[in-house]
Amino acid sequence: MRQTQKEVNDFDQALALDPAAGPAYYHRAMENFKLGHIKESAADFDKSVDLTPDQAPKLWQRGISLYYAGRYEDGQRQFELHQTINSNDVENAVWHFLCVARRAGIDPARASLLKVENDPRVPMMQIYALYAGRGSAEEVMKAATAGRTSPTELNDRMFYAHLYLGLYFDVAGNEKMAREHICQAADLFEVGSYMGDVARIHAALLRQEHP
């Protein structure tokens, strides 16, 4: 129902009753992220991992919160852990790249890029090639718009193309192109998923930095 603040309040009450409820921290972490409460989100994910360590490899959302919290080394480790159960996910490899690039630069990030052989979603492999230094933004957009597809599928393709182009330009220091692509993902090709929230939060951060 997208009543995010109410959900956080409900999880607050649940945790007051049972402070050891790991899943409640996990769910509150995601809702805090949607509210833009990045540090609170990261702290909740950390608590979730402390209480339910067997679930840690699944928590790709935690890696994203750690990235936005500036905890790049912790984020890198989270995405490496997720790779052990989901080895053909370009998004996981990209977020790992972003964490390394923030810490050490683009070249080291490319050198340590997690291996992905076949993510079937369009245009994920073109996005992967861009981050690997073998592709281009033009190739990403060309793949996203190629062929005949439904309006919903085309919107999803365009969302992911713009989101990951924006993230790439952002870490590469191209503020203009980062803002252009992120804002298109957040506003023009909006999707009702967690990654849609990521785009919205990133766009809001860019607008705060440069009104």
Side-chain angles (χ1 to χ4, degrees):
M1 295 175 68
R2 307 290 290 184
Q3 296 181 23
T4 306
Q5 185 59 63
K6 184 178 184 301
E7 291 182 56
V8 170
N9 295 342
D10 288 346
F11 287 120
D12 287 346
Q13 294 181 47
L15 287 165
L17 294 171
D18 183 5
Y25 285 103
Y26 163 74
H27 289 291
R28 191 174 71 175
M30 292 194 294
E31 300 311 316
N32 267 323
F33 180 84
K34 295 173 188 178
L35 290 171
H37 301 163
I38 306 300
K39 290 183 179 179
E40 293 85 348
S41 174
D44 277 347
F45 276 125
D46 289 346
K47 189 67 174 178
S48 175
V49 168
D50 289 343
L51 292 169
T52 54
D54 59 312
Q55 297 299 305
K58 301 177 183 179
L59 303 187
W60 56 267
Q61 299 98 328
R62 175 176 181 256
I64 293 175
S65 286
L66 294 173
Y67 176 80
Y68 284 104
R71 293 170 53 189
Y72 303 123
E73 189 170 358
D74 291 338
Q76 177 183 337
R77 285 196 294 266
Q78 177 63 54
F79 294 118
E80 288 168 355
L81 188 59
H82 187 64
Q83 180 79 359
T84 64
I85 63 166
N86 191 12
S87 61
N88 271 323
D89 187 341
V90 165
E91 293 183 86
N92 189 65
V94 162
W95 284 99
H96 179 270
F97 174 104
L98 294 169
C99 288
V100 177
R102 289 292 185 191
R103 286 199 310 110
I106 297 290
D107 289 340
R110 285 191 172 135
S112 62
L113 185 64
L114 299 178
K115 186 176 181 180
V116 176
E117 293 183 349
N118 182 30
D119 188 327
R121 298 171 297 160
V122 179
M124 286 299 166
M125 293 311 295
Q126 288 77 19
I127 290 169
Y128 185 76
L130 171 68
Y131 279 76
R134 301 190 301 266
S136 67
E138 291 75 19
E139 289 169 348
V140 171
M141 296 307 301
K142 182 178 179 181
T145 56
R148 298 181 62 183
T149 187
S150 70
T152 299
E153 172 67 17
L154 179 60
N155 186 85
D156 286 349
R157 290 183 181 187
M158 295 296 285
F159 169 80
Y160 284 104
H162 283 297
L163 174 63
Y164 286 111
L165 286 175
L167 289 166
Y168 177 80
F169 285 121
D170 190 39
V171 80
N174 188 331
E175 176 193 324
K176 179 178 181 295
M177 294 299 291
R179 183 165 181 153
E180 178 180 321
H181 285 290
I182 290 291
C183 290
Q184 287 196 67
D187 302 332
L188 189 58
F189 299 102
E190 182 180 3
V191 298
S193 66
Y194 198 79
M195 296 313 298
D197 291 312
V198 171
R200 178 177 54 80
I201 292 299
H202 198 117
L205 291 172
L206 290 176
R207 287 164 178 151
Q208 288 174 15
E209 292 172 5
H210 306 282

